[in-house]
Amino acid sequence: MTTAIWWIRRDLRLTDNRALQNALSEADQVIPFFILDSHLLNVEAPRRQNFLFHNLQLLSDQLKAKGCPLVVRRGDPLAELSRLVEESGAELICAEADYSTYAHKRDNLVESKLNLKLEEGLLIHPPWAAVKADGSPYTMFTPFYNTWLALPLPGNPLPAPTHLKPHIDLRSEPIPSATETAGFPAGEEAAQRHLENFLLLSLGDYHSQRDRVELAATSQLSPYLRFGILSPRYVYAHFRPFLDNPLTHEGASKWLRELGWREFYFNIMDAFPFVLRCAFRENMRDIPWRDCPQDLQAWQSGQTGFPLVDAGMRQLAQTGWMHNRARMVSASFLTKDLLINWQTGEAWFMQQLLDGDPASNNGGWQWTAGTGTDAAPFFRIFNPVTQSRKFDPQGSYIRTWLPELANVPDNFIHEPWKMPADLQTSLGVQIGADYPSPIVDHNLARRRALAAYKK
Ligand SMILES: Cc1cc2nc3c(=O)[nH]c(=O)nc-3n(C[C@H](O)[C@H](O)[C@H](O)COP(=O)(O)OP(=O)(O)OC[C@H]3O[C@@H](n4cnc5c(N)ncnc54)[C@H](O)[C@@H]3O)c2cc1C
């Protein structure tokens, strides 16, 4: 009887899981194994951890129903894997490849001591599949994307195994308790339904609606992709027919481009791991940032006085998710209007986001700060009022997340500080008391940012 360990990390699914399938094809029995890695659990991200544990619990239930219970242990990955190999006599460990600095270090160490086999699955195409003619990595999105698009289509996703052989009885620790995350039901089945609904109901209009912050026009699949509850190849296979349909082609092409951004940022992180520590652009590493805890706190708590920025930050604080447009506007506000280091914002988002992912988060922050690869030029600074008028024209998003502004009329909702005093009184909302006055003058702040960046 041969045994393999399926080491689960950020691939919490049975469908289209090459690591699991490889373990099944190489051994008679498979031990699904999750390590509560102290290094990762010490990271302050309670909402993301709750989502992880909830999904892990459902995966554990699925495995139990198939007669092959999940084994959970707490500690250092190499120590726990070595112990399990000894207890079970497993000859092989199969896992899905991951590309952060920590993941590389951890896996290299395990590989040097144990028989670890890594399978691709976190991306549609693995890093280094789309490279320049001379084999070097792209640093600009568009040429990367064009090469990436021309890669041969990924094969069909693998079905979930119908049968798993029970393994020997092994000690397992309980999965930390978790609660349902509003808006993001846990589990593979829920995630698959979420994808189908998006494809059928919203993909066709994605190109024209995706920037409208008040609409649920984007997929909101990012937390599921973050933890591999859906494999990107599964997503791609289900989405592909919509690309060929003339009615949905435009929306589908735009959506594929967004999946392409995800892949691009993984490529950047893998090829240039230093981006997780400093600006990609060398000449953007010494910007004279401001150290202003008061402004930072106002930004974090959605109290800057700029409604779109504050609505985004409160959506994040209350749900763990934020619309992409609001992410760009609030990130621009922190780095340009407040001139606070993008890394401070990156860390805050990592703490708060359900989909917090080192590659995409770092990419998003460096893009907005103008310090990254394919960065918008640093002098392009979002105007939070113009953005608000354009992407939340009736102010519905603002009113949802800033209830104190619920009664403010449309013509003042983007700049409530311009409301005459008597109108404020009649509406029962005093700007400066019930909702803050703007903490900066955007035009002055813009000039300050340009001067600092130029330096
Ligand atoms: C400052 C900042 C920080 C960000 N941090 C993260 C993060 O930690 N994790 C994360 O997954 N995304 C991050 N993004 C990218 C983007 O905002 C989210 O992926 C997107 O809002 C998720 O919503 P959705 O699933 O509805 O996306 P959709 O519009 O439906 O797009 C589909 C999928 O494509 C991927 N995607 C879309 N846009 C981007 C993008 N610009 N960069 C990379 N991938 C993208 C996501 O996986 C997303 O689920 C960040 C963007 C910015 C500007």
Side-chain angles (χ1 to χ4, degrees):
M1 178 83 101
T2 51
T3 303
I5 294 169
W6 168 34
W7 178 18
I8 304 161
R9 292 104 63 93
R10 48 183 295 186
D11 54 329
L12 304 179
R13 63 177 185 277
L14 298 181
T15 310
D16 195 41
N17 194 315
R18 289 197 208 171
L20 168 61
Q21 292 290 347
N22 190 42
L24 285 168
S25 64
E26 295 279 331
D28 302 319
Q29 65 175 14
V30 169
I31 304 170
F33 187 39
F34 189 87
I35 302 167
L36 297 165
D37 177 347
S38 20
H39 172 87
L40 296 176
L41 293 184
N42 286 341
V43 172
E44 201 189 335
R47 213 185 255 114
R48 201 159 59 250
Q49 284 171 7
N50 178 70
F51 189 67
L52 161 68
F53 296 145
H54 198 191
N55 279 283
L56 192 60
Q57 185 57 58
L58 294 196
L59 178 64
S60 167
D61 296 345
Q62 271 179 296
L63 288 165
K64 201 189 246 168
K66 289 185 185 286
C68 183
L70 175 70
V71 175
V72 178
R73 304 261 172 101
R74 186 179 286 267
D76 164 69
L78 177 59
E80 293 309 319
L81 283 163
S82 305
R83 196 165 298 138
L84 188 63
V85 163
E86 208 166 285
E87 288 170 25
S88 64
E91 292 89 2
L92 174 67
I93 300 164
C94 298
E96 186 178 88
D98 191 359
Y99 314 105
S100 70
T101 314
Y102 174 72
H104 277 310
K105 215 167 124 193
R106 173 195 62 196
D107 295 349
N108 288 343
L109 189 63
V110 170
E111 230 166 7
S112 71
K113 307 277 180 199
L114 300 168
N115 185 15
L116 171 67
K117 191 150 183 256
L118 295 175
E119 296 290 333
E120 300 297 340
L122 187 53
L123 301 172
I124 295 172
H125 299 293
W128 300 98
V131 286
K132 293 183 192 167
D134 65 1
S136 64
Y138 284 108
T139 56
M140 302 281 281
F141 175 72
T142 302
F144 163 83
Y145 185 60
N146 291 335
T147 305
W148 181 86
L149 267 185
L151 291 172
L153 292 180
N156 285 334
L158 306 166
T162 48
H163 182 72
L164 292 170
K165 251 206 192 111
H167 52 76
I168 53 164
D169 203 19
L170 290 158
R171 177 182 66 81
S172 180
E173 292 188 29
I175 296 168
S177 62
T179 53
E180 187 75 46
T181 302
F184 297 95
E188 199 171 345
E189 254 180 53
Q192 291 173 357
R193 267 199 311 275
H194 193 108
L195 169 67
E196 291 311 322
N197 284 341
F198 167 71
L199 295 177
L200 292 172
L201 302 176
S202 309
L203 183 67
D205 294 324
Y206 181 78
H207 58 293
S208 56
Q209 310 277 46
R210 59 184 289 267
D211 275 319
R212 289 287 293 269
V213 286
E214 84 280 25
L215 305 176
T218 67
S219 70
Q220 303 200 2
L221 282 169
S222 47
Y224 299 109
L225 287 166
R226 165 65 182 82
F227 287 106
I229 298 155
L230 289 176
S231 92
R233 282 181 314 146
Y234 174 95
V235 170
Y236 187 79
H238 283 74
F239 145 88
R240 190 81 187 76
F242 294 85
L243 204 52
D244 298 334
N245 180 338
L247 288 177
T248 49
H249 176 75
E250 209 175 340
S253 305
K254 193 74 195 153
W255 199 61
L256 185 57
R257 204 176 161 84
E258 297 311 307
L259 293 176
W261 275 104
R262 178 176 182 268
E263 308 249 331
F264 176 63
Y265 287 141
F266 269 101
N267 274 263
I268 292 295
M269 182 180 69
D270 200 53
F272 308 99
F274 65 82
V275 293
L276 297 182
R277 295 188 308 275
C278 63
F280 176 81
R281 290 170 185 235
E282 217 176 325
N283 63 346
M284 289 289 172
R285 292 189 190 148
D286 286 322
I287 296 168
W289 301 112
R290 287 171 68 236
D291 176 23
C292 184
Q294 207 181 333
D295 283 0
L296 176 63
Q297 220 268 326
W299 177 79
Q300 289 172 333
S301 56
Q303 297 283 352
T304 67
F306 288 91
L308 182 58
V309 174
D310 293 340
M313 294 307 288
R314 293 205 213 164
Q315 181 181 31
L316 176 65
Q318 287 174 41
T319 68
W321 189 84
M322 199 201 293
H323 191 283
N324 180 58
R325 174 59 50 177
R327 292 187 205 205
M328 293 197 293
V329 173
S330 65
S332 171
F333 188 81
L334 183 78
T335 53
K336 307 283 174 60
D337 287 66
L338 299 183
L339 203 58
I340 290 178
N341 192 338
W342 61 270
Q343 290 167 307
T344 312
E346 181 193 25
W348 180 252
F349 269 31
M350 263 328 261
Q351 198 184 103
Q352 299 290 314
L353 280 170
L354 275 176
D355 61 30
D357 185 291
S360 297
N361 194 40
N362 181 270
W365 275 96
Q366 295 228 34
W367 185 91
T368 322
T371 60
T373 48
D374 198 328
F378 71 83
F379 48 81
R380 215 186 286 156
I381 297 177
F382 283 125
N383 179 322
V385 174
T386 317
Q387 290 282 312
S388 186
R389 284 191 202 291
K390 195 163 170 197
F391 299 116
D392 186 24
Q394 275 81 46
S396 331
Y397 179 74
I398 292 172
R399 290 189 180 87
T400 302
W401 298 106
L402 308 179
E404 63 271 44
L405 299 185
N407 299 324
V408 171
D410 287 4
N411 52 332
F412 289 112
I413 192 71
H414 308 287
E415 296 172 288
W417 62 89
K418 290 196 172 163
M419 271 193 296
D422 55 343
L423 180 59
Q424 295 187 28
T425 308
S426 69
L427 292 173
V429 52
Q430 292 298 327
I431 302 305
D434 303 309
Y435 180 72
S437 306
I439 61 170
V440 287
D441 174 318
H442 173 69
N443 289 325
L444 293 181
R446 188 174 174 280
R447 284 207 286 278
R448 178 175 65 183
L450 289 177
Y453 269 72
K454 269 189 196 127
K455 239 190 222 171

